[in-house]
Amino acid sequence: MSLTTAHSVVAPSANAKLIAGTIIVAYALISIVPLLWIFATSFKTPPDSIAYPPKVVFQLSIEGYCNLFTTRTRQTPEYINSLGPATGFCDETVRKRNMVIAGPSNFLPRFVNSLIIAFGSTFCAVFLGTLSAYGFSRFKVPLADDLLFFILSTRMMPPIAVAIPIYLMYRELGLSDTALGMILLYTAVNVSLAVWLLKGFIDEIPREYEEAAMIDGYTRLQAFWRTVLPQATTGIAATAIFCLIFAWNEYAFAALLTSGTAQTAPPFIPTIIGEGGQDWPAVAAGTTIFLVPILVFTILLRKQLLRGITFGAVRK
Amino acid sequence: MADVHIRNVSKSFGEQVAVSGLDLHIADGEFVVLLGPTGAGKTTTLRLIAGLERPDAGTIHIGGHNATALSPAERDTAFVFQQYSLYPHLSVYDNLAFPLRSPARKMPEDQIRRRVEDVAKMVRIHHKLSNRSTKLSGGEMQRVAIGRALVRKPAIYLMDEPLSSLDAKLRGDLRLELKRIQAELGATMLYVTHDQIEAMTMADRIGILADGVLAQIGTPREIYSEPANLHVAARLGQPAINLLPVGLLPDGGAPAGTQTIGARTEHLSIDKAANGHADGIVDWVEHLGDQNHLHVTVGAKKLVTLTDPDTALEKGDKVTIRYRAPLYFGADGQRLM
Ligand SMILES: Nc1ncnc2c1ncn2[C@@H]1O[C@H](COP(=O)(O)OP(=O)(O)OP(=O)(O)O)[C@@H](O)[C@H]1O
Ligand SMILES: [Mg+2]
């Protein structure tokens, strides 16, 4: 047994595995250090966060999170003393810095904007992408190759090239600073990726499945729903993650087109720095929370994602 | 069940002619086998009947109605595909129930259950109903695929090499079973294969397809003993028919215009040369167990026939060869008599 594996052409040797493993672990560690640093910073006190040399061991504090979710005003110690006892943990923390909580910050609504826009546009892009990929895969579309190339070519242009036209267009149409506008924009950007990825997946599903269903009395749409879609879930999940990551992280257009009610988290988080000195723990806290949805989504769909990335190579 | 009448149907894919001028009538309850080499247009013929392809010309009538322009769902056929038979995301039970659950059919679940269980018994897959369809062996998958066609009572069953992926033993078993089921149901069936044993044993009539043209259709006996042309003659018989130029061996009764003589084992008598004169030399005796293939060199030609397992002939023996009412073919490949 050991002899055959040692000489096997396909199974990597123990040495190769060790080297590959070391490289992967090293790369993973290097990649995760900034994230760990952000995570740690979010639990530091503001003085600790800018201490030099940087503190690896520090006093745990949730001041960053308190500052993230609230707006505060500076008051005299006499005024603060004249108030009743602190109403909560954050209240107490803030008072130590001679501040009182004035109200909730904009972080929560901005975060919710991000959720609505990212998930909304992902849904639209995947929905439209699946239908058009199916169309391209199964029907004789006139000029299919040219159309597919055109769809892809929308991704070749640097986004900044169309920033000004889109800005003007959106202002004319009243789409500036609206969730609908951002969903439309991200859908338009993502749908090309979705069509291409999903076409690959749907091409791999033999058309005999739908044909069998259609012979058995299903309409094409019913056959698509009952036979193609269940087998395309892997591809759809992988595509959804790619679309979601793009829409979630997008900064340039969000900064240009949203400023108030529809502002997303990426352009909002940097503005935290300005409020009351350089509040790195609050920024780090915002970033940490910002990472959570993508993390959860990716972990939930990691199997599909892995198959999505390696598809063609290991799909049976 | 119903009869199917194909009239002058042609289908091309771009330059590639897949089916050309096909005329075929399958009577109600008849088992017709289409036999032909790869690329002959067998699958295309089935797909045309099922409505998965539209003919470029010609008409298809199912049960007396013109179905040429109908969608697959409206035609009431059942299809067993050459491959990719089962839905991988469904259990065996759900695979079998799938055709009955079509929204157009609106069959109640308890009726579906009864039908599925009946068919599962028929194709001997009853013990695996709750399995995932991907967790079956090849033979079991194929039985489910056949079962999925049998749950319905369509106008015609279309089967595209349903047994081709199975081992010889299972193939033999299922062949008999399928024939029995077909006879029991009185089903109209068009069955595609390139296995001549399947064709010979199951068919009421065999149609020989070559390059999209139906070369001949008839009972297995007719096709075997009265082939219309060289191509049909070469399709049936194991070992394949020997095609020899006229004049190679003494051929007393050859009709005028004969160019090729077709000789199967039963058309040749081969004996050890007694004295001096010989027609050929034994090249090789191929032992296959229950029978032997005898390879004989005649001039520049080679002959293969069956012999008894206990034949006395050996490599290097000189033999005399005589025709016994062989088949005669003219210059155009058509049989003369
Ligand atoms: N969708 C298609 N597009 C282009 N050409 C096709 C298509 N389907 C079939 N053909 C061509 O038509 C011819 C007949 O094909 P068909 O599948 O009917 O052969 P077959 O007899 O079923 O062969 P096999 O025994 O290999 O299954 C072949 O030359 C094939 O290449
Ligand atoms: Mg075929």
Side-chain angles (χ1 to χ4, degrees):
Chain A
M1 185 62 211
S2 61
L3 258 181
T4 49
T5 43
H7 292 279
S8 164
V9 203
V10 281
S13 72
N15 262 343
K17 270 189 189 165
L18 189 72
I19 294 171
T22 313
I23 293 174
I24 289 168
V25 169
Y27 181 74
L29 285 176
I30 293 170
S31 309
I32 207 164
V33 164
L35 291 180
L36 289 179
W37 194 256
I38 290 170
F39 186 69
T41 304
S42 74
F43 287 103
K44 286 179 180 176
T45 59
D48 274 358
S49 72
I50 51 170
Y52 191 84
K55 288 193 175 175
V56 178
V57 181
F58 53 86
Q59 168 80 48
L60 276 181
S61 154
I62 58 155
E63 192 172 345
Y65 290 88
C66 291
N67 291 353
L68 177 66
F69 283 102
T70 59
T71 55
R72 301 155 305 281
T73 49
R74 185 165 295 283
Q75 299 292 351
T76 56
E78 296 75 31
Y79 173 77
I80 289 172
N81 286 334
S82 73
L83 296 170
T87 50
F89 196 76
C90 277
D91 203 8
E92 201 180 312
T93 315
V94 167
R95 283 183 191 188
K96 288 192 194 126
R97 307 249 179 248
N98 288 339
M99 311 242 240
V100 292
I101 293 172
S105 75
N106 274 337
F107 181 73
L108 199 60
R110 299 302 186 252
F111 188 77
V112 171
N113 281 344
S114 262
L115 286 177
I116 292 172
I117 289 168
F119 279 91
S121 69
T122 299
F123 176 82
C124 293
V126 171
F127 179 79
L128 295 173
T130 309
L131 289 184
S132 27
Y134 179 74
F136 276 117
S137 174
R138 294 299 198 257
F139 298 107
K140 275 205 199 79
V141 181
L143 300 176
D145 288 345
D146 301 291
L147 282 175
L148 279 168
F149 179 77
F150 170 73
I151 290 172
L152 184 66
S153 71
T154 60
R155 275 309 266 263
M156 296 176 179
M157 170 175 53
I160 203 70
V162 289
I164 302 299
I166 286 183
Y167 176 75
L168 295 174
M169 239 160 55
Y170 266 45
R171 214 178 49 185
E172 277 306 303
L173 294 171
L175 287 172
S176 292
D177 204 17
T178 62
L180 177 67
M182 295 314 288
I183 289 176
L184 286 177
L185 183 69
Y186 292 162
T187 302
V189 175
N190 272 334
V191 88
S192 65
L193 176 80
V195 169
W196 273 80
L197 276 179
L198 285 164
K199 182 173 177 298
F201 281 101
I202 293 175
D203 280 345
E204 300 229 329
I205 301 171
R207 53 172 73 206
E208 274 88 345
Y209 289 123
E210 302 135 76
E211 292 179 340
M214 276 152 61
I215 289 172
D216 286 335
Y218 292 78
T219 64
R220 182 172 279 282
L221 206 62
Q222 287 161 347
F224 170 75
W225 186 256
R226 300 281 297 268
T227 68
V228 178
L229 225 47
Q231 295 187 64
T233 46
T234 299
I236 290 173
T239 309
I241 293 182
F242 288 128
C243 291
L244 184 74
I245 290 176
F246 169 83
W248 188 255
N249 290 345
E250 206 284 328
Y251 177 81
F253 279 102
L256 183 71
L257 297 175
T258 66
S259 51
T261 49
Q263 194 182 39
T264 55
F268 174 77
I269 290 173
T271 66
I272 303 168
I273 301 176
E275 295 171 15
Q278 298 203 330
D279 195 351
W280 292 115
V283 174
T287 310
T288 303
I289 293 176
F290 182 68
L291 289 173
V292 170
I294 289 287
L295 195 70
V296 170
F297 201 67
T298 313
I299 288 173
L300 284 180
L301 298 181
R302 68 186 181 286
K303 261 202 209 123
Q304 281 80 355
L305 186 61
L306 206 63
R307 289 227 348 234
I309 293 170
T310 55
F311 95 107
V314 291
R315 281 186 95 213
K316 61 157 180 116
Chain B
M1 294 299 148
D3 71 324
V4 172
H5 205 147
I6 301 168
R7 285 192 191 87
N8 198 24
V9 162
S10 298
K11 175 73 189 176
S12 302
F13 298 99
E15 296 284 283
Q16 177 72 46
V17 178
V19 171
S20 150
L22 181 70
D23 280 303
L24 179 61
H25 180 251
I26 304 161
D28 193 1
E30 192 181 22
F31 196 131
V32 173
V33 171
L34 282 183
L35 194 61
T38 181
K42 306 183 297 292
T43 300
T44 306
T45 304
L46 296 188
R47 291 173 61 86
L48 283 163
I49 297 173
L52 296 173
E53 307 285 354
R54 286 285 152 89
D56 301 331
T59 60
I60 297 169
H61 286 73
I62 300 177
H65 301 290
N66 189 346
T68 317
L70 295 184
S71 73
E74 294 164 320
R75 294 193 184 200
D76 194 27
T77 65
F79 204 124
V80 178
F81 284 88
Q82 206 165 351
Q83 45 189 151
Y84 307 123
S85 33
L86 304 185
Y87 299 116
H89 59 287
L90 298 179
S91 70
V92 170
Y93 181 90
D94 289 332
N95 261 286
L96 289 171
F98 191 86
L100 302 177
R101 284 188 179 144
S102 95
R105 214 154 269 128
K106 293 201 189 79
M107 190 184 269
E109 259 323 294
D110 56 329
Q111 209 171 320
I112 291 177
R113 170 159 290 279
R114 236 173 303 139
R115 188 85 198 105
V116 166
E117 283 173 357
D118 283 352
V119 166
K121 281 194 196 108
M122 218 187 283
V123 295
R124 317 254 157 91
I125 200 74
H126 196 248
H127 53 295
K128 295 260 166 99
L129 276 179
S130 52
N131 280 37
R132 275 293 288 269
S133 59
T134 45
K135 299 261 156 67
L136 299 178
S137 75
E140 290 165 342
M141 282 188 190
Q142 212 53 31
R143 295 218 291 275
V144 178
I146 294 169
R148 209 175 52 191
L150 296 178
V151 290
R152 288 176 44 210
K153 305 235 187 290
I156 182 171
Y157 292 103
L158 305 166
M159 301 208 175
D160 195 357
E161 309 195 26
L163 307 183
S164 63
S165 60
L166 308 179
D167 67 58
K169 160 104 178 59
L170 197 59
R171 204 140 96 190
D173 291 352
L174 272 180
R175 196 169 69 214
L176 292 174
E177 225 163 290
L178 208 55
K179 179 66 191 170
R180 179 182 59 77
I181 293 169
Q182 183 266 339
E184 232 166 64
L185 298 176
T188 312
M189 177 110 72
L190 183 58
Y191 184 105
V192 159
T193 182
H194 47 226
D195 180 324
Q196 50 168 300
I197 300 178
E198 273 173 34
M200 292 297 284
T201 54
M202 299 169 90
D204 294 325
R205 284 192 299 154
I206 295 177
I208 304 286
L209 264 184
D211 296 328
V213 177
L214 187 64
Q216 188 177 359
I217 180 154
T219 64
R221 271 256 63 86
E222 282 167 12
I223 301 286
Y224 182 80
S225 51
E226 298 158 31
N229 58 36
L230 282 172
H231 177 87
V232 175
R235 287 263 24 117
L236 288 182
Q238 184 64 27
I241 192 167
N242 298 293
L243 299 172
L244 305 170
V246 73
L248 186 71
L249 291 165
D251 40 40
T258 302
Q259 189 168 45
T260 309
I261 296 182
R264 305 189 202 272
T265 300
E266 62 270 27
H267 298 135
L268 293 166
S269 57
I270 300 178
D271 295 296
K272 205 159 181 171
N275 42 24
H277 174 78
D279 299 307
I281 298 175
V282 176
D283 205 25
W284 181 26
V285 183
E286 198 179 359
H287 297 278
L288 301 174
D290 58 336
Q291 56 185 41
N292 287 351
H293 283 183
L294 184 67
H295 297 248
V296 181
T297 310
V298 185
K301 280 283 183 181
K302 289 204 172 202
L303 264 174
V304 186
T305 70
L306 280 177
T307 67
D308 299 335
D310 52 355
T311 176
L313 290 170
E314 283 177 29
K315 181 175 158 76
D317 282 353
K318 291 198 165 70
V319 290
T320 57
I321 307 170
R322 287 294 170 272
Y323 291 125
R324 291 195 310 211
L327 305 170
Y328 301 102
F329 298 94
D332 56 357
Q334 297 300 311
R335 191 167 63 89
L336 300 170
M337 65 170 275

